[in-house]
Amino acid sequence: LQANRGAAEVPLSVVEMCLEAMKLARVVVDKGNPASLSDAGVAGLMAHAGAQGAYYNVLINIQTMEDDDWKRDISQKAKALMEDIDQQAAQLRKDVEQRLTSSDA
């Protein structure tokens, strides 16, 4: 049972770490060296992709669990994290692209 839970909890922790990576990319976009802007944008893209992949792993790994309350809790946590990272990724991408295509880059 614990190994099965770990199969969902580990990728959930990856989603959380990807959210933290997204926040760090945001700091670089906002305060970093302008020459690192594209690097920060790529970091945001990778954090988003990593979170999405880990989220898929959470979803598949909870399918066979029998504890419906636990499944619902993990699923809701993962979904909330993904909603947050989706919003942050969209804003980061918009900001990076806007700055890269303006004369202020």
Side-chain angles (χ1 to χ4, degrees):
L1 177 65
Q2 191 59 34
N4 289 342
R5 285 187 176 193
E9 290 169 344
V10 169
L12 180 64
S13 72
V14 172
V15 176
E16 292 169 336
M17 286 185 269
C18 289
L19 181 56
E20 290 305 311
M22 179 67 68
K23 291 176 182 178
L24 292 173
R26 167 52 62 192
V27 170
V28 176
V29 168
D30 292 342
K31 299 178 181 179
N33 184 330
S36 298
L37 183 61
S38 63
D39 297 323
V42 170
L45 293 171
M46 295 299 98
H48 191 230
Q52 190 69 58
Y55 178 63
Y56 289 166
N57 284 325
V58 170
L59 296 179
I60 198 161
N61 290 333
I62 64 172
Q63 289 183 353
T64 58
M65 296 298 294
E66 295 178 10
D67 184 342
D68 289 336
D69 291 336
W70 183 85
K71 283 171 58 171
R72 187 173 30 260
D73 183 50
I74 293 295
S75 178
Q76 288 173 349
K77 285 179 184 176
K79 183 178 179 185
L81 286 166
M82 279 310 303
E83 288 173 355
D84 189 5
I85 202 166
D86 285 343
Q87 290 174 348
Q88 289 192 39
Q91 187 63 53
L92 186 87
R93 182 176 173 180
K94 178 182 171 187
D95 293 348
V96 167
E97 290 179 8
Q98 183 177 28
R99 287 184 53 195
L100 287 174
T101 58
S102 75
S103 58
D104 297 334

